[in-house]
Each structure stands twice: as C-alpha cells, then as structure tokens.
Amino acid sequence: MKLSIFLPAVAVTLFSSLTVANNLPELAAPVEIEASESVVVNGQTFNKVVEPSATADFADTVKLFAGDLVTKGSFNLTSKATGLVFVTLVEGQDAKAVATDLDLKLVFANGNSAVYKAAENVDLLNLNDELFNDSRIKAVKIELANNKYNPE
Amino acid sequence: MNLKYSKLALAMVGIGLTSASYASDPLYSEQWHLNNTGQNAFSQSSGTAGNDLNTQLTQAFGIAGVGIKVAVIDTGVQIDHPDLAANVVPGSQNFISDSAFPVDYPEDPNGHGTAVAGLIGAVGHNGEGVRGVASNTSLLGFNWLSEQTFEGWLISHGKGAATQDVRVFNQSYGFSPIDPIKADFDDPQFNFEIGVMSDVSDNAAWGRGALFVKSAGNGYRYFRSGGFFVLPGDFFAGGNNLGLPMHNSNQSYDNANYYNLVTSAITADGTRTSYSSVGANVWVAAPAGEYGTNSPAMVTTDLMGCDAGMNTSAGLGSNGLHGGTELDPDCNYTSTMNGTSSAAPNTSGAIAAIMSTNHALTARDVRALLAETASKTDAQNPGVSLDFVNNKGELVSYQAVAPWTTNAAGVDFHSFYGFGAVDLDKAMSRARMTNSVLPPQVITPWASSDLAVEVPDASLAGGESSIVFSDDVTVESVQVQLTLDHARLPDLAIELISPAGTRSVLQTPRNGLVGQSLDASITGFDQQLLLSNQFYGEKAKGEWTLRAIDTNGEEQFTFIAYFNSSNVFFVPLNNNKEPGVIKNWSLRVIGH
C-alpha cells in the first residue's frame, strides 16, 4: 500500500522561472495523487487512486471495478478501468457460451477474439482470474482506457 | 511542369472543359496542395510551383470520389457546414455521452475533424469556399477522439452497420509513447484490434477491402506523451536534437501495423515539414504545410462562425484570411491547418478519387498504385548523419537517415517521404488501365533467432544477428519484433539489411524513448514491433541481418518533460557501459 506518490525516485529540476520563450502549448501541471494503493493489472503494477477519505478502508485484497482509476509512472499518467475484458478463445470455442456461463455481456466477437463487459459490481481482478482459469480461454486482458490518442 | 500542363490542356480539350469550369470555389486558388502555382495561401511567403498532389488531369476528368465512402475518425465533423453538407451521407455518429447534439450528429468541439473532412471531400464547384481532393465523395464523421470508447472504435473502424461499406478510414491521430511497447500477438487486445483491421482491410465493401490511412505523427522536434511534451535536452538552448527525430514514427506500434498506411507531411516547397514524424514505415508523403503565418498551411473548412475553430475574430492579422476578413466574413474556413493530420486526409482524398476511377480495384491494389506512382520529392535531401565519439575516443559518423536510396528492385525510398509524394494524376491514370495490380497476398510465418548478441557501448560495429529466410515471396512490407536489453534505449539505432543488401534504419537514435528514466523496470525492447517498406519489390528469400548500434557513450543524456512554463523537468538518463544484448528477434514478410 502506498499513501502518497509524487515524482518518486526521479532526479528532476524545476525551472519555475522559465518564461514563455517558446511556442509550446501550456498543459496542466502534474497532479499530486494524495492516496493510492498498489494493484497489479495485466501483469503490470499500477497505483489505484482512492478517495483520501477512504484510506482507512484499504482492504487486504485490492479490487478493481469499472470506473476505477489507476496511475503509472512518475508523472502519474491515469487510466480508467472500463469494465471491458478482451479474451482470446481456444480455437473452436463459443464466445456466447462463455458469456452466458460467466454472466457477462458479449460486446463483440471476431474470429477467436471476444470482448466482454462485466457488470459494475464485478471485481475485474477476480473476473480476470476466473477467465484465465477457464479451459476455453487462452488469454485475458482487462481494458484500461486513457484517451491516449490525440489529433495530429 | 510543362509536360503536366500539356497533358492537362489536351485532356481538357478532349472533354470540352475550359479552365473557368473548374475554378468556381472562391478559395481554390489558394489551395496549393491541389494546384501549386507558387501562391502564398494567405501566409507571408510563397511555396514552389508544382509541389502539389498533381490533381489537374483527375479534376479535368471530373473524377472526384463518386460512390466511395470515407469515414473521418476524428474530433468530430460539422456535417451541416455549407461546404460539406452535400457530400455527407447517413451513418455519422456522435460518441460524446453528454452531448447536446443528436446521436447522428458528430459534434466537433475542436474543429480538427471538420478541417480534415474538408481536405478529403469539401464540395467542389459550388461557388462556396474550398474544394476537397475528392470533391464528390461520400463523407461520414465520427467523433471518436472526443470520447475514445472501445464500442466507438469498433463502429468507426468498419464494424458498424454504416461503416461496412466504407472504403477509406482517415485516422488523423496518434499517440507517441516514451516507453517501448510490447507488441504481443498473444495479447488479446492487440490480437483483437489487428484481427478487426485485417478483416476490414481485406473483406469490407463486399470483398474489395478498405484502407486505413494514418498520420505519422508531429514529433520530429518534440512530441506530446500523455500529459506533457517530450523535448530534447538541448531544446531551450536552441538545439535541434542533432537533426534527428524525437519521434520516429516506428516508435508508435500502431504505425508499425501493416494495416495502417502511414503518411508523412511535406511543405509547399516539397520538403519535409518542420514537425513531421518520419520513419521506415512511412508509405507516402502528402502536402500539409507549415503554420500559415510565415509560410503556407492548408486552406480548408473550419467550424462555422467567428467564435469557434481555428479562424476566429480574435485572429485578425494572423494571416490574410482569418479574423472575419472580406474573403471569409463568417470565418467558415481556415488557412492554418497543418500536421500529418493534413497529410493523411489529402492521401485519403486521393485514394477515394483513385477508387472511384475504377471501383473494381481492391484496397491493396490502390495502396500499391499509390506507392508505384509516387514522385521523388526533395530529391537532393542528404538525410542525417550523426557524429559521435566512440568507445575508443574517435569521432565517427553514422548515417542515421539515408538520402534517397534505390533498392534492389529499383524502388526509390526515403524515410522522410516513403515512396515519395502522392501523385494523383499518375495513380488515376494507372487505375484506369488495370483491374488487378498485385497477385494474391502472402503473409509469411515469423522466422526467429534467439541467439544472444552483444551490442557494445558507443561503437559503429554494433551487434549483428542474421536469419535465413526460406519463403520465396516478393516483399511489400517487412515487420520485425525485437527483444533487446539496453540501459538507455535512445542511444540505439536499429537497422535491417535485406538479402539483396538494402539497408533500412528501423529506429533512429537520439529518439524520445526515454521512459527508462522514470521506470526502472524497463530493461529495453520487449517484442518491439517495427516495420519497413523500404524493401518493396525485393525477393525475401535469403539472409536478413538485424544490426543494433549504440551511438552514445556520454555519461548523461537528458530530456525535458514540459507541462507548462512553470513546470519544466530536466530528466537525466545515465549511461551504462555494459554492452546491450540482442536477446531475440523475429521477421515476417507481407508480400506476394
């Protein structure tokens, strides 16, 4: 569990006196995350953003629900769990049957790939494990969206 | 140019056209990308005549994208714009969840997508504003960039009811990571996206397929990654990163996806724009221009009114068009649009016109025609040489960006421009004469080497690994997946040498892959996906060699993370004199 992160372990120099001697657009300053807890999603470690008032409620087992925010890296790039899960099925398996059996909504299937949506109250980490252990499924990935694309 | 006008004149006589009949869009005369006469496009300087998409014969024939659907996947499109509305067909979608607009109106809160749509398909010959490259094509708008949901991605990229017969998807967007990104074909999300794009590319529109056109990026000098800009360490000292790109377009794995046709941007003088990302994965270059103040940018549609978009009442004096001037009192047009965001739609418009010339051609045929007819622009460009002190203390030089090079199949290539500048008239002429350009496609299995090879610090010798490739196919594109441990990735150049001896630099050194400074868990490239088009037409069979060259022995390499003028972080990456290690790499060929 980590209660506060802000530019950890990075040697940086802040030049607050730098004036606008260039044409770069001004972006928002890096945000300080007041409270977070470590969570492993898709094999990578993130910090799950929690409300400061909720820090006393940290559970022993971290959960991840649709809408939860996680951050990574020293500049706290934020991603949101959307509730979607990408799955690669074993050849010949039926995406609809998996959805029915696990109470998921099948969003789309293409070949042996499928995308499922979990209900809002489903712990996505637990769902990930459940899918991973299902013999009909080869691989699983929880979607973390971060609006990464920009007009260019 | 004399030949061009002679052909045009003949064509016009042949079909009974006069120059007056195709010049009825008031701002057309400043659209240098359609017909560069050396006009200034409302900026302070002029371009060089002849550096354009070469559209005159195509326009004289009235070939303008009829019957071809183009999806503009962007910030949105103002589909009731007076110079777009007549070309908009049903099927657009509004993905913004709290939008006040209806679901079939792709609200554009930014103006970017509206400008892009105008470049592709602004209505021609209507006495209004500007003209699109394909001025009679069918446009659909999707504001997916404004709310990037997965469902929205599917609908806008060919899996929606209204997009199944779209033949061109314009993607004037991208992302520029600072971390290397694992392109794991066993990753369900990656596998899913590639699967959808492959299916749409091959099978959309009743088997003729569709093309995904994509901008290379605007990161030559610096780029935005998430919430900040990544600048070279010498930026505020007036440096230019030794002339090398901070963002090589191969750094973004979606640009190394074969199914994206990647475009770089050129000026009204036919040279690389100051900002355009470049790389071995660029297919073609297209006009986009600079910023419209000192030198020409694009003249295209803008959000209507003087209180929205790029052209507002506050912009009076920024150039000759903006601010509610006599030429455009309602501020419905802009002359400052640029970026590879403009190169992509100019290419998309050209593709729509080519497809409408001959509807029987497959998307892959049209892609090939575009390459085979592209023109060698900026012919004397010398590329970029990087001088550095090697581990013996000697000053040595590495050709990080090659000049125009002719491969063993006789195909010219430059990583600034791919196969060259789009030449619509030439491609259209070829399209009229054939129904099949290429034999059926072959995508070979991956061939691999897992022999560990050292990459010495600061040495031109580099580390070298070879794969003997047995498939007897002709190359269109080559993809490489590379796993390589190295403590400071921006030091590295990665190059691939074909059996015929053609060298292609897949990754230029001194780039912006600086994430190791912020995340110690990054040990190097892990299945990094890279693509080259430089071997087009060569035979794949034989020995392919991958080389990794460390070009920097300096103790510290610094980049700048810039949020705003009050939050500027100089971030160091320390050198590690331990050699890097090529751990494994794979190669596959997309060809025939």
Side-chain angles (χ1 to χ4, degrees):
Chain A
M1 183 187 303
K2 188 187 264 182
L3 293 178
S4 177
I5 54 170
F6 184 60
L7 303 179
V10 178
V12 299
T13 309
L14 181 63
F15 280 70
S16 59
S17 61
L18 191 73
T19 53
V20 189
N22 57 74
N23 293 319
L24 292 165
E26 299 283 283
L27 304 174
V31 178
E32 184 170 0
I33 307 294
E34 290 189 3
S36 67
E37 52 190 335
S38 267
V39 58
V40 177
V41 187
N42 303 327
Q44 293 189 16
T45 303
F46 294 83
N47 291 293
K48 180 183 166 188
V49 180
V50 297
E51 293 295 325
S53 59
T55 52
D57 299 331
F58 281 155
D60 291 338
T61 306
V62 181
K63 296 184 177 181
L64 186 74
F65 298 97
D68 281 350
L69 300 177
V70 296
T71 69
K72 195 174 191 323
S74 299
F75 293 119
N76 289 330
L77 294 174
T78 304
S79 302
K80 182 164 83 174
T82 61
L84 293 180
V85 182
F86 292 87
V87 163
T88 305
L89 296 158
V90 171
E91 210 64 48
Q93 292 297 332
D94 180 10
K96 283 183 186 168
V98 172
T100 304
D101 293 350
L102 299 176
D103 200 20
L104 298 168
K105 180 188 171 193
L106 177 62
V107 177
F108 197 81
N110 188 60
N112 66 339
S113 294
V115 181
Y116 298 106
K117 190 170 186 69
E120 285 183 6
N121 61 350
V122 170
D123 173 18
L124 297 170
L125 300 177
N126 189 50
L127 174 64
N128 183 80
D129 291 345
E130 198 174 349
L131 289 166
F132 185 77
N133 290 322
D134 191 310
S135 60
R136 295 170 293 182
I137 289 168
K138 273 167 65 175
V140 187
K141 188 175 183 185
I142 294 169
E143 187 186 44
L144 296 176
N146 54 13
N147 275 353
K148 68 182 175 186
Y149 290 104
N150 291 304
E152 60 183 20
Chain B
M1 285 308 300
N2 288 336
L3 176 64
K4 184 169 142 184
Y5 282 116
S6 299
K7 283 164 62 181
L8 170 63
L10 286 171
M12 290 170 63
V13 168
I15 59 175
L17 285 174
T18 66
S19 60
S21 69
Y22 68 95
S24 60
D25 301 299
L27 297 174
Y28 172 81
S29 61
E30 295 298 332
Q31 290 185 278
W32 61 268
H33 63 291
L34 298 177
N35 184 22
N36 192 336
T37 59
Q39 64 271 64
N40 63 22
F42 307 108
S43 72
Q44 298 298 312
S45 63
S46 303
T48 304
N51 288 298
D52 54 38
L53 288 163
N54 201 15
T55 66
Q56 296 295 281
L57 190 61
T58 306
Q59 296 214 357
F61 282 166
I63 295 168
V66 172
I68 301 297
K69 275 190 180 181
V70 183
V72 180
I73 310 165
D74 213 287
T75 54
V77 176
Q78 197 168 56
I79 55 175
D80 51 350
H81 190 288
D83 217 7
L84 296 174
N87 280 344
V88 174
V89 294
S92 296
Q93 197 158 330
N94 180 10
F95 295 129
I96 299 176
S97 47
D98 59 354
S99 173
F101 290 88
V103 71
D104 60 352
Y105 187 95
E107 171 192 7
D108 184 1
N110 178 291
H112 183 270
T114 298
V116 164
L119 291 171
I120 298 168
V123 180
H125 315 283
N126 60 346
E128 170 73 37
V130 296
R131 189 180 305 173
V133 181
S135 61
N136 208 355
T137 198
S138 300
L139 294 169
L140 296 94
F142 299 92
N143 51 10
W144 178 72
L145 282 185
S146 297
E147 196 157 319
Q148 296 170 28
T149 64
F150 173 74
E151 289 93 337
W153 183 85
L154 272 178
I155 291 166
S156 58
H157 288 71
K159 290 296 182 183
T163 52
Q164 292 180 8
D165 57 349
V166 164
R167 299 214 64 201
V168 189
F169 294 89
N170 189 80
Q171 307 164 107
S172 287
Y173 61 78
F175 80 104
S176 306
I178 58 170
D179 298 339
I181 296 180
K182 183 176 182 176
D184 180 358
F185 285 84
D186 292 326
D187 175 323
Q189 186 173 7
F190 187 69
N191 186 35
F192 190 94
E193 290 173 1
I194 296 289
V196 166
M197 292 183 74
S198 165
D199 183 32
V200 172
S201 297
D202 294 343
N203 302 318
W206 304 283
R208 290 171 300 160
L211 283 174
F212 291 93
V213 179
K214 187 169 179 317
S215 51
N218 300 333
Y220 202 100
R221 293 189 302 140
Y222 58 85
F223 61 86
R224 181 173 176 176
S225 186
F228 57 93
F229 289 99
V230 181
L231 315 177
D234 61 2
F235 187 83
F236 293 115
N240 69 348
N241 195 38
L242 305 172
L244 288 163
M246 283 293 284
H247 178 244
N248 183 302
S249 58
N250 250 331
Q251 282 162 222
S252 302
Y253 75 84
D254 50 348
N255 286 345
N257 169 359
Y258 165 77
Y259 298 105
N260 279 326
L261 188 166
V262 175
T263 59
S264 61
I266 50 179
T267 67
D269 296 317
T271 58
R272 177 182 60 78
T273 60
S274 59
Y275 51 78
S276 180
S277 298
V278 298
N281 56 345
V282 170
W283 192 260
V284 287
E290 289 291 344
Y291 293 87
T293 47
N294 294 327
S295 47
M298 293 288 98
V299 182
T300 182
T301 44
D302 189 30
L303 293 178
M304 292 181 280
C306 291
D307 57 353
M310 302 177 209
N311 180 359
T312 64
S313 53
L316 187 63
S318 63
N319 63 33
L321 182 67
H322 285 205
T325 56
E326 190 178 339
L327 281 164
D328 182 21
D330 297 327
C331 307
N332 289 350
Y333 300 91
T334 176
S335 58
T336 59
M337 176 66 180
N338 67 1
T340 51
S341 277
S342 295
N346 281 328
T347 304
S348 291
I351 289 168
I354 296 164
M355 285 177 165
S356 73
T357 304
N358 182 348
H359 287 259
L361 291 172
T362 67
R364 180 165 157 260
D365 284 335
V366 174
R367 178 187 177 113
L369 281 180
L370 211 59
E372 293 174 11
T373 58
S375 64
K376 195 173 178 179
T377 190
D378 191 16
Q380 302 306 314
N381 186 286
V384 183
S385 289
L386 171 66
D387 294 335
F388 68 96
V389 177
N390 70 10
N391 56 20
K392 294 175 183 165
E394 303 158 338
L395 184 67
V396 294
S397 183
Y398 175 69
Q399 187 78 42
V401 177
W404 279 99
T405 305
T406 305
N407 73 14
V411 176
D412 294 324
F413 192 90
H414 192 304
S415 62
F416 282 2
Y417 310 112
F419 300 110
V422 173
D423 186 329
L424 176 54
D425 283 354
K426 206 168 171 185
M428 179 277 296
S429 299
R430 282 270 313 270
R432 287 166 64 87
M433 304 303 290
T434 180
N435 280 336
S436 178
V437 181
L438 293 173
Q441 187 173 64
V442 172
I443 300 179
T444 71
W446 291 94
S448 302
S449 168
D450 55 5
L451 183 70
V453 175
E454 282 198 350
V455 181
D457 192 38
S459 170
L460 279 177
E464 194 170 292
S465 174
S466 295
I467 289 175
V468 176
F469 200 76
S470 57
D471 294 77
D472 190 13
V473 294
T474 301
V475 176
E476 293 164 31
S477 300
V478 175
Q479 277 181 318
V480 162
Q481 270 192 308
L482 172 63
T483 299
L484 183 157
D485 279 355
H486 195 277
R488 198 165 66 181
L489 287 175
D491 290 0
L492 292 180
I494 308 295
E495 57 184 42
L496 183 67
I497 300 161
S498 71
T502 302
R503 184 183 76 108
S504 180
V505 177
L506 305 179
Q507 174 64 66
T508 43
R510 313 303 173 98
N511 56 64
L513 283 176
V514 293
Q516 285 167 305
S517 62
L518 305 172
D519 184 349
S521 70
I522 300 171
T523 57
F525 291 127
D526 183 6
Q527 293 183 259
Q528 184 80 7
L529 189 66
L530 302 159
L531 183 143
S532 177
N533 297 316
Q534 192 160 357
F535 309 106
Y536 189 92
E538 291 190 354
K539 294 295 181 188
K541 194 172 183 177
E543 187 173 85
W544 291 81
T545 302
L546 182 121
R547 298 184 73 231
I549 300 112
D550 185 319
T551 67
N552 193 355
E554 292 172 21
E555 282 308 310
Q556 206 169 80
F557 170 80
T558 302
F559 81 95
I560 300 168
Y562 182 98
F563 290 82
N564 51 52
S565 54
S566 299
N567 288 280
V568 184
F569 300 86
F570 284 70
V571 187
L573 288 89
N574 293 322
N575 194 20
N576 177 355
K577 294 193 186 303
E578 291 295 313
V581 180
I582 299 172
K583 296 175 78 174
N584 60 70
W585 70 288
S586 307
L587 170 144
R588 74 173 178 181
V589 172
I590 298 105
H592 55 266

